PDB file of all heavy atoms in Angstrom:
ATOM      1  N   VAL B 419     -70.697 -71.449 -38.331  1.00  0.00           N
ATOM      2  CA  VAL B 419     -71.394 -71.088 -39.579  1.00  0.00           C
ATOM      3  C   VAL B 419     -72.888 -70.942 -39.310  1.00  0.00           C
ATOM      4  O   VAL B 419     -73.402 -71.420 -38.308  1.00  0.00           O
ATOM      5  CB  VAL B 419     -71.191 -72.152 -40.688  1.00  0.00           C
ATOM      6  CG1 VAL B 419     -69.773 -72.132 -41.205  1.00  0.00           C
ATOM      7  CG2 VAL B 419     -71.573 -73.543 -40.201  1.00  0.00           C
ATOM      8  N   PHE B 420     -73.556 -70.293 -40.262  1.00  0.00           N
ATOM      9  CA  PHE B 420     -75.013 -70.166 -40.186  1.00  0.00           C
ATOM     10  C   PHE B 420     -75.654 -71.505 -40.542  1.00  0.00           C
ATOM     11  O   PHE B 420     -75.268 -72.139 -41.521  1.00  0.00           O
ATOM     12  CB  PHE B 420     -75.509 -69.103 -41.169  1.00  0.00           C
ATOM     13  CG  PHE B 420     -75.119 -67.708 -40.794  1.00  0.00           C
ATOM     14  CD1 PHE B 420     -74.236 -66.988 -41.575  1.00  0.00           C
ATOM     15  CD2 PHE B 420     -75.645 -67.117 -39.657  1.00  0.00           C
ATOM     16  CE1 PHE B 420     -73.887 -65.701 -41.228  1.00  0.00           C
ATOM     17  CE2 PHE B 420     -75.293 -65.823 -39.313  1.00  0.00           C
ATOM     18  CZ  PHE B 420     -74.407 -65.112 -40.095  1.00  0.00           C
ATOM     19  N   ASP B 421     -76.666 -71.895 -39.769  1.00  0.00           N
ATOM     20  CA  ASP B 421     -77.341 -73.174 -40.035  1.00  0.00           C
ATOM     21  C   ASP B 421     -78.402 -72.998 -41.103  1.00  0.00           C
ATOM     22  O   ASP B 421     -79.584 -73.282 -40.863  1.00  0.00           O
ATOM     23  CB  ASP B 421     -77.986 -73.702 -38.746  1.00  0.00           C
ATOM     24  CG  ASP B 421     -76.959 -73.902 -37.645  1.00  0.00           C
ATOM     25  OD1 ASP B 421     -75.776 -74.087 -37.981  1.00  0.00           O
ATOM     26  OD2 ASP B 421     -77.342 -73.874 -36.455  1.00  0.00           O
ATOM     27  N   VAL B 422     -78.026 -72.547 -42.280  1.00  0.00           N
ATOM     28  CA  VAL B 422     -79.023 -72.267 -43.322  1.00  0.00           C
ATOM     29  C   VAL B 422     -79.727 -73.536 -43.781  1.00  0.00           C
ATOM     30  O   VAL B 422     -80.837 -73.482 -44.294  1.00  0.00           O
ATOM     31  CB  VAL B 422     -78.400 -71.582 -44.560  1.00  0.00           C
ATOM     32  CG1 VAL B 422     -77.986 -70.178 -44.233  1.00  0.00           C
ATOM     33  CG2 VAL B 422     -77.243 -72.381 -45.102  1.00  0.00           C
ATOM     34  N   ASP B 423     -79.074 -74.673 -43.578  1.00  0.00           N
ATOM     35  CA  ASP B 423     -79.705 -75.919 -44.033  1.00  0.00           C
ATOM     36  C   ASP B 423     -80.983 -76.226 -43.253  1.00  0.00           C
ATOM     37  O   ASP B 423     -81.754 -77.079 -43.636  1.00  0.00           O
ATOM     38  CB  ASP B 423     -78.713 -77.083 -43.937  1.00  0.00           C
ATOM     39  CG  ASP B 423     -77.939 -77.085 -42.628  1.00  0.00           C
ATOM     40  OD1 ASP B 423     -77.862 -76.013 -41.990  1.00  0.00           O
ATOM     41  OD2 ASP B 423     -77.433 -78.147 -42.230  1.00  0.00           O
ATOM     42  N   LYS B 424     -81.215 -75.501 -42.156  1.00  0.00           N
ATOM     43  CA  LYS B 424     -82.448 -75.729 -41.380  1.00  0.00           C
ATOM     44  C   LYS B 424     -83.619 -74.903 -41.917  1.00  0.00           C
ATOM     45  O   LYS B 424     -84.756 -75.122 -41.528  1.00  0.00           O
ATOM     46  CB  LYS B 424     -82.211 -75.375 -39.911  1.00  0.00           C
ATOM     47  CG  LYS B 424     -81.219 -76.325 -39.267  1.00  0.00           C
ATOM     48  CD  LYS B 424     -81.189 -76.154 -37.767  1.00  0.00           C
ATOM     49  CE  LYS B 424     -80.196 -77.136 -37.169  1.00  0.00           C
ATOM     50  NZ  LYS B 424     -79.415 -76.531 -36.090  1.00  0.00           N
ATOM     51  N   ALA B 425     -83.337 -73.935 -42.774  1.00  0.00           N
ATOM     52  CA  ALA B 425     -84.413 -73.108 -43.327  1.00  0.00           C
ATOM     53  C   ALA B 425     -85.230 -73.922 -44.318  1.00  0.00           C
ATOM     54  O   ALA B 425     -84.717 -74.855 -44.938  1.00  0.00           O
ATOM     55  CB  ALA B 425     -83.827 -71.877 -44.003  1.00  0.00           C
ATOM     56  N   LYS B 426     -86.516 -73.533 -44.483  1.00  0.00           N
ATOM     57  CA  LYS B 426     -87.373 -74.306 -45.389  1.00  0.00           C
ATOM     58  C   LYS B 426     -86.890 -74.204 -46.830  1.00  0.00           C
ATOM     59  O   LYS B 426     -86.862 -75.176 -47.555  1.00  0.00           O
ATOM     60  CB  LYS B 426     -88.809 -73.786 -45.286  1.00  0.00           C
ATOM     61  CG  LYS B 426     -89.546 -74.413 -44.121  1.00  0.00           C
ATOM     62  CD  LYS B 426     -91.041 -74.173 -44.198  1.00  0.00           C
ATOM     63  CE  LYS B 426     -91.643 -74.209 -42.806  1.00  0.00           C
ATOM     64  NZ  LYS B 426     -91.732 -72.880 -42.178  1.00  0.00           N
ATOM     65  N   THR B 427     -86.563 -72.980 -47.237  1.00  0.00           N
ATOM     66  CA  THR B 427     -86.065 -72.773 -48.598  1.00  0.00           C
ATOM     67  C   THR B 427     -84.786 -71.949 -48.531  1.00  0.00           C
ATOM     68  O   THR B 427     -84.686 -71.041 -47.703  1.00  0.00           O
ATOM     69  CB  THR B 427     -87.095 -72.004 -49.454  1.00  0.00           C
ATOM     70  OG1 THR B 427     -88.349 -72.661 -49.343  1.00  0.00           O
ATOM     71  CG2 THR B 427     -86.674 -71.939 -50.900  1.00  0.00           C
ATOM     72  N   VAL B 428     -83.837 -72.275 -49.386  1.00  0.00           N
ATOM     73  CA  VAL B 428     -82.604 -71.503 -49.442  1.00  0.00           C
ATOM     74  C   VAL B 428     -82.435 -70.954 -50.852  1.00  0.00           C
ATOM     75  O   VAL B 428     -82.529 -71.698 -51.831  1.00  0.00           O
ATOM     76  CB  VAL B 428     -81.379 -72.383 -49.083  1.00  0.00           C
ATOM     77  CG1 VAL B 428     -80.098 -71.588 -49.234  1.00  0.00           C
ATOM     78  CG2 VAL B 428     -81.508 -72.942 -47.675  1.00  0.00           C
ATOM     79  N   PHE B 429     -82.227 -69.634 -50.932  1.00  0.00           N
ATOM     80  CA  PHE B 429     -81.840 -69.042 -52.212  1.00  0.00           C
ATOM     81  C   PHE B 429     -80.380 -68.658 -52.124  1.00  0.00           C
ATOM     82  O   PHE B 429     -79.967 -68.028 -51.150  1.00  0.00           O
ATOM     83  CB  PHE B 429     -82.683 -67.804 -52.542  1.00  0.00           C
ATOM     84  CG  PHE B 429     -84.092 -68.143 -52.875  1.00  0.00           C
ATOM     85  CD1 PHE B 429     -85.123 -67.881 -51.993  1.00  0.00           C
ATOM     86  CD2 PHE B 429     -84.393 -68.749 -54.084  1.00  0.00           C
ATOM     87  CE1 PHE B 429     -86.435 -68.213 -52.288  1.00  0.00           C
ATOM     88  CE2 PHE B 429     -85.704 -69.088 -54.398  1.00  0.00           C
ATOM     89  CZ  PHE B 429     -86.715 -68.816 -53.495  1.00  0.00           C
ATOM     90  N   PHE B 430     -79.636 -69.043 -53.107  1.00  0.00           N
ATOM     91  CA  PHE B 430     -78.189 -68.831 -53.067  1.00  0.00           C
ATOM     92  C   PHE B 430     -77.791 -68.075 -54.321  1.00  0.00           C
ATOM     93  O   PHE B 430     -77.770 -68.640 -55.404  1.00  0.00           O
ATOM     94  CB  PHE B 430     -77.484 -70.197 -53.001  1.00  0.00           C
ATOM     95  CG  PHE B 430     -76.126 -70.144 -52.370  1.00  0.00           C
ATOM     96  CD1 PHE B 430     -75.801 -70.984 -51.304  1.00  0.00           C
ATOM     97  CD2 PHE B 430     -75.151 -69.272 -52.838  1.00  0.00           C
ATOM     98  CE1 PHE B 430     -74.555 -70.951 -50.709  1.00  0.00           C
ATOM     99  CE2 PHE B 430     -73.898 -69.233 -52.248  1.00  0.00           C
ATOM    100  CZ  PHE B 430     -73.593 -70.076 -51.188  1.00  0.00           C
ATOM    101  N   ILE B 431     -77.494 -66.795 -54.183  1.00  0.00           N
ATOM    102  CA  ILE B 431     -77.055 -66.030 -55.353  1.00  0.00           C
ATOM    103  C   ILE B 431     -75.576 -66.255 -55.557  1.00  0.00           C
ATOM    104  O   ILE B 431     -74.776 -66.096 -54.623  1.00  0.00           O
ATOM    105  CB  ILE B 431     -77.314 -64.521 -55.187  1.00  0.00           C
ATOM    106  CG1 ILE B 431     -78.798 -64.267 -54.990  1.00  0.00           C
ATOM    107  CG2 ILE B 431     -76.798 -63.760 -56.401  1.00  0.00           C
ATOM    108  CD1 ILE B 431     -79.180 -62.822 -55.101  1.00  0.00           C
TER     109      ILE B 431
END
Side-chain angles (χ1 to χ4, degrees):
Chain B
V419 289
F420 291 113
D421 301 336
V422 290
D423 45 339
K424 294 191 179 140
K426 276 194 206 93
T427 309
V428 176
F429 290 107
F430 205 126
I431 300 192

